Amino acid sequence: MIDLVAKRYVKALMIQRDNDSLTSIYNELSSISSAFNSDKFLLIIESTEVKIEQKIELILSFVDGCSVTTINLIKILADNKRLNIIPSIVSDLKNELASLNNSYEGVVYTNNKLSDSDMEKLNDQFSKKFNVTLLLTQNVCDYDGVKVDIDGLGCEVAFSKSRLKSQMIDHIIKAV
């Protein structure tokens, strides 16, 4: 439900705005959104004892020289008791900007660090495949294989050793 409401606000933000102003709004909202990771901040935002004006003032204090559009958006969200959807708005706005710029970000999950040349090859191949500008970052974790996740494109490519092993066993069993 929150995503649907956030999409409406993003759609309204995108009307008759150029790429630079949208990027500026995104950067302002992104710095505000980082505060939502704090439990104390969430308690203040969700509190009924704190006045709306104080909440607006607190949120706007995270950005120096905030644009009129961002100020008005925060005021509208506060009046409608929807300040908690700011992180969703930031996420949706990021996806829309990526689509407009044809520039996306992705993550490569592996259990071993890949070399810079391997990362560059992956980046080039996926950029050519989808005809986009792509920036891949690496996340070394406990994934048993390699997984490339490009969120804005809805693309996920994975190779897992355990899955390959189970498929080979199934194939051998079927052959016997």
Side-chain angles (χ1 to χ4, degrees):
M1 182 68 174
I2 289 175
D3 288 338
L4 295 174
V5 175
K7 286 186 189 305
R8 287 187 177 180
Y9 284 101
V10 170
K11 186 177 179 183
L13 281 172
M14 295 193 62
I15 295 174
Q16 296 182 345
R17 289 202 174 68
D18 62 351
N19 203 6
D20 293 336
S21 64
L22 283 173
T23 303
S24 173
I25 292 168
Y26 167 75
N27 291 335
E28 292 171 352
L29 290 175
S30 182
S31 61
I32 292 169
S33 177
S34 63
F36 281 83
N37 295 330
S38 169
D39 291 334
K40 290 180 182 179
F41 178 77
L42 287 173
L43 284 173
I44 293 169
I45 293 300
E46 294 171 358
S47 174
T48 56
E49 296 174 8
V50 179
K51 294 181 181 178
I52 291 176
E53 293 80 20
Q54 293 172 324
K55 291 178 185 180
I56 293 171
E57 186 178 322
L58 174 65
I59 289 173
L60 294 178
S61 71
F62 291 108
V63 180
D64 294 330
C66 201
S67 69
V68 175
T69 305
T70 304
I71 293 171
N72 289 338
L73 175 66
I74 299 300
K75 287 180 181 179
I76 289 170
L77 291 172
D79 288 341
N80 293 318
K81 295 179 175 60
R82 292 182 173 161
L83 290 172
N84 61 334
I85 69 169
I86 290 175
S88 295
I89 291 173
V90 169
S91 175
D92 289 345
L93 190 56
K94 179 181 179 182
N95 290 339
E96 291 294 331
L97 281 170
S99 178
L100 284 174
N101 296 330
N102 202 25
S103 175
Y104 297 90
E105 295 178 6
V107 181
V108 178
Y109 298 96
T110 61
N111 59 356
N112 296 324
K113 182 165 175 39
L114 296 175
S115 69
D116 291 338
S117 64
D118 289 339
M119 286 297 293
E120 192 173 310
K121 287 178 187 176
L122 279 173
N123 198 12
D124 290 342
Q125 291 297 321
F126 278 101
S127 294
K128 288 177 187 174
K129 175 73 175 170
F130 294 110
N131 196 24
V132 298
T133 305
L134 185 63
L135 174 64
L136 289 176
T137 56
Q138 188 171 358
N139 183 355
V140 179
C141 58
D142 60 351
Y143 187 76
D144 190 28
V146 178
K147 179 169 93 171
V148 179
D149 186 16
I150 307 169
D151 192 34
L153 290 175
C155 172
E156 181 179 310
V157 178
F159 175 79
S160 171
K161 292 178 188 176
S162 60
R163 181 166 176 166
L164 177 65
K165 184 179 175 181
S166 69
Q167 286 178 342
M168 286 178 64
I169 290 171
D170 289 343
H171 182 71
I172 292 169
I173 290 173
K174 287 179 183 177
V176 173

